[in-house]
Amino acid sequence: MARWLPRSTDLTRFCQKLNRVKTLEDDMMETSFNRCLSTIDLTLLGIGGMVGSGLYVLTGTVAKEIAGPAVIVSFIIAGFASLLAALCYAEFGARVPKTGSAYMFTYVSVGEIWAFLIGWNVLLEYMIGGAAVARAWSGYLDSIFNHKIKNFTETHVGAWQVPFLAHYPDFLAAAILLVATAFISFGAKVSSWLNHVFSAISMGVILFILIMGFVLAQPKNWSTQEGGFAPYGLSGIMAGTATCFYAFVGFDVIAASSEEARNPQRAVPRAIAFSLGLATGAYILVSVVLTLMVPWHTLDPDSALADAFYRRGYAWAGFLVAAGSICAMNTVLLSNLFSLPRIVYAMAEDGLFFQVFSRVHPRTQVPVVGIVVFGLLMALLALVFDLEALVQFLSIGTLLAYTFVAASIIVLRFQQHKGDVPAAGAGGRPSAEPHEGLAGGELKEYESFSDKLNLVDRDKGKEQREPGQLKAAFEPYLEFLSDFYPGEVVTVAVVTLMVSAICLCSILVFGNTHLHLPTWSYSLLLVLFSLGFLLSLLLIWAHEQQHSTQTFQIPLVPLSPALSIILNIYLMLKLSYMTWLRFAIWLLLGLLVYFGYGIWHSKENLREPRAQRVSARYVVFPGGSLEERVQAVQPSCQPAAGLPDTDTDDGKR
């Protein structure tokens, strides 16, 4: 029976397969895409992804039902929370200018299985998001024409009463997605130009809303007679923050487009900063004018801005706002259709998804197969499915991606530079293992004399420490950590930090409501998990990190990514249990795809290991000068029996 049990070496090798990281090519600017996008192009793509239907619908919903006029504070806090995640994306987009966004960032730093699951969830996020916006676009246009399209469809096609399906097929939503798919397939420049047009119209309408809104503003609408500025208190503001946070999720289209940027090292961080700043300003100012134009408790959640102008006697302005909202929704559609095929392409190019999606059209230089296939799937979703129950997938998938990107920033920042890492074996340690010492010293083997010269030079200048090593100031107090390979302690500390954050947020969210913990145990657990989080953070900070002036780097690492991690986890735990159940089912489907296809076709799996044939070894003895310490010895590897010995040096052994 015991022989059927897996050996420990097999389990170790299997875990190494799951956690292998992507090998990046030396020239990361080399690509089959067309690098044609400027900083302005990327900025407008980001604005188009963020300033969409949320500006015209979300502001009114949160103001009326959750926070009142204090929705302004909710957007400020949500903008700051989004900034933490956006800075992580900006650093990765500048350092790794490859398409794939959160999937690619996780693959190069954390591991393959985690990258696949992130990519798998992002695919669903974009598909549902695009289909939901298309249905909102259709409903908004239909409301302008007094629901004539809906009535015509129900009369001549019929209505459905099936769970998870829409009440009627939305042909208009499917049609707009098919048209957008056709435009996206013409190339990045055409997509960017079309996004420029809709973004310009949308920003013009927003400017009109602000000017006209401040003219019509009435400060009495914030007075105590109307309920005051924060009628739902601090809890309402924080609940509004959780909802407003999702208004900013579109900035990752910039990171997904980094492989098509002319100068990604500069363009990606600047575009993320500009687009997030403009979007946050737009949401805050529109919330101000909306709640000052009419009392917050009288807002129409479905079309708050247009309805506010109608009620103030400016019907023509309401029609203009409705037209602007449709243009804004078009930019979100383009953003989803632009990003999704590129993430699919990145997964297929790495062998983790079906190879057909890695084909790039030679003339338009876009992944046309992915654009067409997922455009059709998105249109089908918009045509027949009731998306209201599925839209919460958007939040959980996005928050999970943000969490892993923030953790990846910490791991990558405390890794050695590519050129600094010595030749490693399967376990990630140097291939030359230490042997028993002589005369109380240590004997080590190295594959080349130059490797040892580098080591000796490094020993002479111990003050120049590598990333991932313990800082000199902490070595007297944490000397037992100095024996670990650079970066190992940081990786363990990041895992501990995330576990502590999950436990801490679980106590905060469920401690009093679901777990009904007594006060003493609630307080004790909060203190313990808070200490675990802070100690992990301090342990990471006690190590050296990479400092580069060539590309953008997020400030205050590891504090900034750690704050992003704990905030994202807190917001994920605020979601309903049905959302988690659907999420678990989708993850299981993803694992079936990965273990059935991805793990076998992964390029990292198919990559042949480099030959480790050693022509000469050098034994280093402790003490003495360099010439006395280094002696050449015979190679220990012998040729296999019956095979000619090809490992010779100029014909000699």
Side-chain angles (χ1 to χ4, degrees):
M1 182 69 183
R3 65 176 183 173
W4 296 103
L5 295 175
R7 295 177 296 177
S8 60
T9 54
D10 296 332
L11 289 174
T12 302
R13 193 176 297 112
F14 178 69
C15 291
Q16 288 172 351
K17 276 181 174 289
L18 297 182
N19 291 285
R20 58 197 170 198
V21 296
K22 178 178 173 62
T23 304
L24 293 173
E25 56 269 21
D26 293 331
D27 184 10
M28 285 194 289
M29 292 298 289
E30 183 180 349
T31 177
S32 56
F33 286 108
N34 179 21
R35 288 197 177 275
C36 59
L37 300 179
S38 65
T39 303
I40 295 177
D41 296 330
L42 294 175
T43 301
L44 290 176
L45 277 174
I47 292 174
M50 287 184 280
V51 183
S53 55
L55 187 75
Y56 298 90
V57 178
L58 188 65
T59 49
T61 302
V62 176
K64 181 175 182 179
E65 300 175 357
I66 302 176
V71 64
I72 301 162
V73 182
S74 298
F75 273 118
I76 293 173
I77 301 174
F80 173 75
S82 300
L83 179 64
L84 295 175
L87 289 174
C88 296
Y89 273 76
E91 176 169 337
F92 261 120
R95 293 184 64 176
V96 188
K98 292 293 183 181
T99 192
S101 190
Y103 156 78
M104 180 62 67
F105 304 156
T106 307
Y107 201 175
V108 300
S109 55
V110 177
E112 185 173 284
I113 180 77
W114 311 107
F116 177 85
L117 293 177
I118 291 296
W120 181 252
N121 282 291
V122 170
L123 294 186
L124 184 67
E125 171 197 336
Y126 278 123
M127 279 199 296
I128 294 179
V133 172
R135 288 192 71 98
W137 186 99
S138 172
Y140 219 92
L141 185 66
D142 196 22
S143 65
I144 296 176
F145 296 103
N146 202 21
H147 302 289
K148 291 182 179 179
I149 300 174
K150 174 186 176 182
N151 296 333
F152 178 85
T153 305
E154 289 182 341
T155 303
H156 294 84
V157 178
W160 301 328
Q161 300 297 330
V162 182
F164 297 109
L165 294 184
H167 295 301
Y168 66 95
D170 197 336
F171 293 104
L172 183 60
I176 187 60
L177 279 168
L178 293 177
V179 172
T181 299
F183 277 106
I184 291 291
S185 63
F186 289 149
K189 203 62 185 174
V190 175
S191 307
S192 177
W193 176 84
L194 197 62
N195 181 72
H196 286 4
V197 173
F198 288 125
S199 295
I201 297 174
S202 178
M203 287 190 291
V205 172
I206 292 172
L207 189 61
F208 166 79
I209 292 171
L210 296 179
I211 295 173
M212 195 75 176
F214 277 116
V215 171
L216 299 175
Q218 296 177 332
K220 67 176 183 179
N221 290 324
W222 285 5
S223 64
T224 54
Q225 289 83 1
E226 299 292 350
F229 179 75
Y232 298 100
L234 181 61
S235 61
I237 292 174
M238 296 309 298
T241 299
T243 304
C244 295
F245 181 82
Y246 311 126
F248 301 99
V249 300
F251 66 80
D252 58 347
V253 66
I254 300 173
S257 311
S258 59
E259 196 164 343
E260 290 160 279
R262 293 174 191 160
N263 185 3
Q265 285 77 14
R266 290 178 175 270
V268 170
R270 290 179 178 180
I272 288 178
F274 293 157
S275 60
L276 188 63
L278 290 172
T280 305
Y283 276 109
I284 292 171
L285 291 175
V286 167
S287 299
V288 170
V289 300
L290 177 63
T291 53
L292 285 175
M293 283 174 62
V294 294
W296 60 269
H297 52 81
T298 64
L299 291 171
D300 180 5
D302 296 327
S303 55
L305 279 170
D307 183 68
F309 281 106
Y310 279 122
R311 289 170 53 196
R312 292 300 300 271
Y314 294 89
W316 60 272
F319 183 82
L320 187 63
V321 170
S325 69
I326 290 176
C327 288
M329 292 181 200
N330 285 337
T331 63
V332 178
L333 281 180
L334 292 172
S335 174
N336 281 271
L337 282 168
F338 190 88
S339 301
L340 191 151
R342 284 153 177 81
I343 295 173
V344 175
Y345 164 85
M347 297 175 68
E349 180 69 13
D350 292 333
L352 301 185
F353 207 59
F354 305 110
Q355 201 65 28
V356 66
F357 294 110
S358 65
R359 296 177 184 173
V360 176
H361 194 278
R363 187 171 61 84
T364 59
Q365 294 181 289
V366 294
V368 67
V369 176
I371 291 173
V372 172
V373 170
F374 282 92
L376 291 172
L377 287 175
M378 209 179 287
L380 181 63
L381 284 176
L383 179 68
V384 299
F385 281 97
D386 179 16
L387 298 168
E388 290 183 7
L390 300 177
V391 162
Q392 288 196 58
F393 267 125
L394 302 179
S395 53
I396 194 168
T398 301
L399 290 169
L400 187 68
Y402 287 178
T403 303
F404 268 87
V405 170
S408 300
I409 279 290
I410 302 176
V411 172
L412 190 68
R413 186 70 75 84
F414 289 88
Q415 282 181 351
Q416 292 176 300
H417 291 285
K418 185 178 179 182
D420 295 338
V421 183
R429 290 181 174 274
S431 57
E433 292 293 329
H435 294 273
E436 188 177 350
L438 296 177
E442 184 183 51
L443 179 148
K444 292 186 179 181
E445 293 184 357
Y446 295 88
E447 293 185 7
S448 71
F449 187 69
S450 61
D451 286 348
K452 184 55 200 167
L453 288 179
N454 290 335
L455 183 84
V456 173
D457 290 339
R458 195 175 297 155
D459 289 339
K460 291 179 180 178
K462 285 189 175 180
E463 68 278 356
Q464 295 180 352
R465 294 174 177 258
E466 298 173 350
Q469 288 185 323
L470 195 65
K471 291 179 180 178
F474 293 95
E475 194 162 355
Y477 312 101
L478 302 172
E479 188 176 356
F480 63 96
L481 297 177
S482 302
D483 297 331
F484 290 92
Y485 191 80
E488 280 186 337
V489 176
V490 172
T491 302
V492 174
V494 169
V495 174
T496 307
L497 183 143
M498 294 189 69
V499 172
S500 301
I502 292 171
C503 296
L504 178 61
C505 293
S506 299
I507 297 300
L508 287 173
V509 175
F510 305 116
N512 290 327
T513 55
H514 294 76
L515 300 178
H516 302 293
L517 294 174
T519 304
W520 69 268
S521 61
Y522 178 83
S523 303
L524 178 62
L525 290 174
L526 282 183
V527 171
L528 288 177
F529 293 129
S530 298
L531 284 175
F533 183 84
L534 292 175
L535 288 175
S536 302
L537 197 60
L538 289 173
L539 193 59
I540 297 170
W541 178 70
H543 289 76
E544 297 286 349
Q545 61 177 292
Q546 297 177 13
H547 295 286
S548 172
T549 57
Q550 298 178 350
T551 59
F552 171 80
Q553 287 193 324
I554 177 176
L556 299 178
V557 172
L559 179 61
S560 300
L563 289 176
S564 181
I565 288 171
I566 197 168
L567 180 61
N568 296 334
I569 291 173
Y570 178 82
L571 292 176
M572 277 195 286
L573 293 177
K574 295 289 284 184
L575 299 172
S576 67
Y577 75 94
M578 283 302 297
T579 301
W580 280 96
L581 179 62
R582 298 185 189 109
F583 178 67
I585 294 172
W586 181 250
L587 281 186
L588 288 176
L589 291 175
L591 290 174
L592 290 176
V593 174
Y594 175 73
F595 287 110
Y597 181 89
I599 194 172
W600 309 105
H601 295 82
S602 167
K603 283 190 176 180
E604 297 300 323
N605 184 54
L606 301 176
R607 192 185 300 274
E608 294 183 358
R610 295 180 179 177
Q612 298 292 334
R613 307 298 294 272
V614 180
S615 59
R617 292 178 180 243
Y618 296 86
V619 179
V620 182
F621 296 92
S625 65
L626 179 61
E627 290 78 7
E628 294 171 342
R629 290 170 61 190
V630 181
Q631 301 176 15
V633 297
Q634 289 292 96
S636 60
C637 53
Q638 300 294 333
L643 293 177
D645 182 11
T646 58
D647 252 354
T648 60
D649 185 8
D650 296 331
K652 297 180 182 180
R653 288 286 293 170

